[in-house]
Amino acid sequence: MNSHFHAIIPAGGSGTRLWPLSRKASPKFLHDVLGTGRSLLQSTWDRVAPIVGADNVWVVTGENHLDQVAAQLPEMPADQIVAEPSPKDSAAAIGLATMLIARSDPEAIVGSFSADHSITNVDEFTSVIAQACAAAETGDIVTVGIMPSQPATAYGYIETGELLGLAGAPSARRAKAFAEKPAASTARRYVNSGRYRWNAGMFIARASALLEILEHEDPALHAGLARIAAAWGTEEQNAVLAEVWPGLEKRAIDYVVAEPAAAAGRVIVIPGDFGWDDVGDFDSVARLRQPVPGEPQGVISIGGSCDIVEVDASGVVFSEQPRTVAIVGLDDLVVVDTEDVLLITSRSHAQDVKKAVSAAGERGLEDLL
C-alpha cells in the first residue's frame, strides 16, 4: 500500500436509532453493539491501521468524546485525535483533517472511513481499498460502492458507468451520479438494473485534489478551515478555533465534494462486496448477530448482563441491569433496558426509535438524550 496513504475516521453523531444504548454523551461508535469484544470505533481502527500504519490514522470527534476515544485507542498518537467544538458534519471534519495531514505530507492520499460501520470480510475490504488507493493516483475522487443485497431505502446509491482499465484497480468504474435515499419502487429499479451500488460514505483521494474541489465548491468553508489548520499546534489554536468554528457551514462531504466531482466526471467507483453494514438500528444489530442467516434465531442477548427466559419468542435484548428478562409468544421483539430508560419495540419499527428520541426532547427530557 502507498506509504503516503492516511486514514481519517470521522467519529460523530449520536446514533438516535440505537437509543437508549447510544446517547449524545456516549454515541454508538463507543459501544460493542455486535458482541465482538471491541467497540465499533475500535473495530474500525483494527481494519484501517494495518492498511495505513498506526501513525497514519486520524480520528475527528467531538470535544465531549475526546477522552473516551483516547481511552479506547491508546495506540493512537494523541495529537492525531482532532476535537471539534460542535458538530459541523463531515465536510468540516474531513476537510480539517485533510489539511492537517497535507501540511506534513504534501503527497498524501486520504481515505475517510466511518467509525460506526461493520465489515465482516476484512481481507476483501483491504483488497478493495488497495484498488481505491491506486485509482486515487489519477487525481480523481474515489468512492467504494457496495453491492446491494436488497432494494434498501435507507441508503444512498451510486450509478456506475464503464470500466476504466486502470493499472492496480481492475474493477474501477466511472461514477455517473449519486442518488439520494430512494422510494421503494425506485430502489427496486436501481437494484434490478445492476448499475447501482450503495453509497457507504467511503472516499479516497489525493489530499490536494479533495481540497481543490472543496475550495472551488465552498470557498468560505475552505477559508475557515485553512485558518484553523494554520493555527493548529500553536498558541493561537484554541483562540482561532473558538472564533472560526461556530461560523462554519454544516454540510456533508457528499454534497460539497463528491456530487460536484461526479457531475464533472471526476469520481471513480470501486465496487465492494465485503459484508458492509452501517449498523443503523436494532434490526441491523439483530441481523448481524444472527448465527446462521435464514435459520430461527431465538432471542439474542447483546449486553450479556441479564438472564433471558424465552418461550416461543425471537428478537434482541440489551440490558445493563442484573435482572431476568422473560419474553413469551412475541417475535422480532427489541428490548433495551438501561438504568434510566426501558425501550420496547419491534425489529420492523426499529427505524422509528429516533422518533422516541425526538419526543423525549420535546418533553424536555434532555438528560435522557
Side-chain angles (χ1 to χ4, degrees):
M1 200 75 71
N2 192 317
S3 62
H4 294 283
F5 192 25
H6 302 253
I8 301 170
I9 303 176
S14 55
T16 53
R17 288 173 294 178
L18 286 174
W19 178 87
L21 171 61
S22 180
R23 313 274 187 109
K24 287 181 179 178
S26 183
K28 71 171 181 174
F29 61 81
L30 294 171
H31 294 274
D32 175 19
V33 300
L34 300 178
T36 64
R38 301 281 280 173
S39 71
L40 293 174
L41 171 64
Q42 290 171 320
S43 295
T44 304
W45 163 274
D46 294 343
R47 284 193 297 274
V48 303
I51 295 174
V52 302
D55 291 340
N56 280 6
V57 180
W58 294 67
V59 175
V60 187
T61 194
E63 284 182 347
N64 294 341
H65 308 132
L66 180 61
D67 292 342
Q68 293 165 290
V69 168
Q72 287 201 5
L73 301 177
E75 310 95 328
M76 271 207 67
D79 61 354
Q80 290 176 203
I81 303 177
V82 179
E84 301 175 297
S86 61
K88 288 294 182 181
D89 217 322
S90 56
I94 295 169
L96 176 57
T98 300
M99 288 182 181
L100 296 178
I101 291 167
R103 189 171 62 174
S104 59
D105 184 1
E107 298 180 52
I109 291 175
V110 298
S112 63
F113 306 97
S114 295
D116 53 7
H117 292 177
S118 170
I119 288 172
T120 55
N121 190 336
V122 176
D123 289 342
E124 179 63 19
F125 168 77
T126 301
S127 175
V128 167
I129 298 307
Q131 289 196 59
C133 191
E137 295 283 11
T138 63
D140 285 349
I141 307 299
V142 184
T143 189
V144 175
I146 305 299
M147 181 70 70
S149 59
Q150 58 183 332
T153 59
Y155 303 142
Y157 287 73
I158 308 165
E159 184 181 5
T160 62
E162 71 281 2
L163 281 167
L164 297 176
L166 297 179
S171 67
R173 293 179 176 272
R174 180 61 61 196
K176 297 180 71 175
F178 287 82
E180 298 292 337
K181 297 175 182 178
S185 58
T186 303
R188 285 193 295 272
R189 179 167 54 82
Y190 285 170
V191 173
N192 291 339
S193 75
R195 299 193 314 273
Y196 287 80
R197 301 289 185 269
W198 286 339
N199 177 12
M202 301 180 199
F203 298 104
I204 299 91
R206 284 190 173 277
S208 57
L210 189 150
L211 295 175
E212 171 203 336
I213 296 170
L214 175 61
E215 183 175 24
H216 182 269
E217 296 297 328
D218 197 330
L221 178 58
H222 182 277
L225 294 174
R227 281 193 61 195
I228 294 170
W232 203 265
T234 73
E235 294 180 354
E236 300 298 317
Q237 174 180 319
N238 291 339
V240 173
L241 194 60
E243 176 191 348
V244 177
W245 190 264
L248 296 180
E249 191 173 6
K250 189 174 183 179
R251 298 183 68 191
I253 194 78
D254 304 64
Y255 303 135
V256 182
V257 173
E259 291 185 5
R266 289 191 59 188
V267 174
I268 294 170
V269 183
I270 307 295
D273 188 9
F274 39 70
W276 172 86
D277 197 285
D278 72 343
V279 198
D281 56 30
F282 287 109
D283 181 53
S284 295
V285 171
R287 184 175 63 253
L288 290 166
R289 291 293 304 274
Q290 188 171 342
V292 181
E295 291 190 3
Q297 61 188 38
V299 177
I300 301 165
S301 175
I302 298 176
S305 306
C306 68
D307 291 326
I308 296 176
V309 175
E310 56 179 285
V311 178
D312 295 327
S314 66
V316 58
V317 172
F318 175 88
S319 179
E320 295 177 339
Q321 306 305 308
R323 73 169 105 240
T324 298
V325 175
I327 304 176
V328 180
L330 294 172
D331 289 322
D332 293 332
L333 194 68
V334 174
V335 178
V336 185
D337 187 14
T338 68
E339 184 178 0
D340 54 354
V341 176
L342 172 65
L343 169 72
I344 302 172
T345 186
S346 63
R347 288 180 59 177
S348 62
H349 285 81
Q351 288 273 328
D352 293 330
V353 169
K354 61 184 179 182
K355 296 180 181 178
V357 181
S358 298
E362 291 169 1
R363 292 180 56 188
L365 303 175
E366 294 296 326
D367 56 327
L368 301 183
L369 305 183

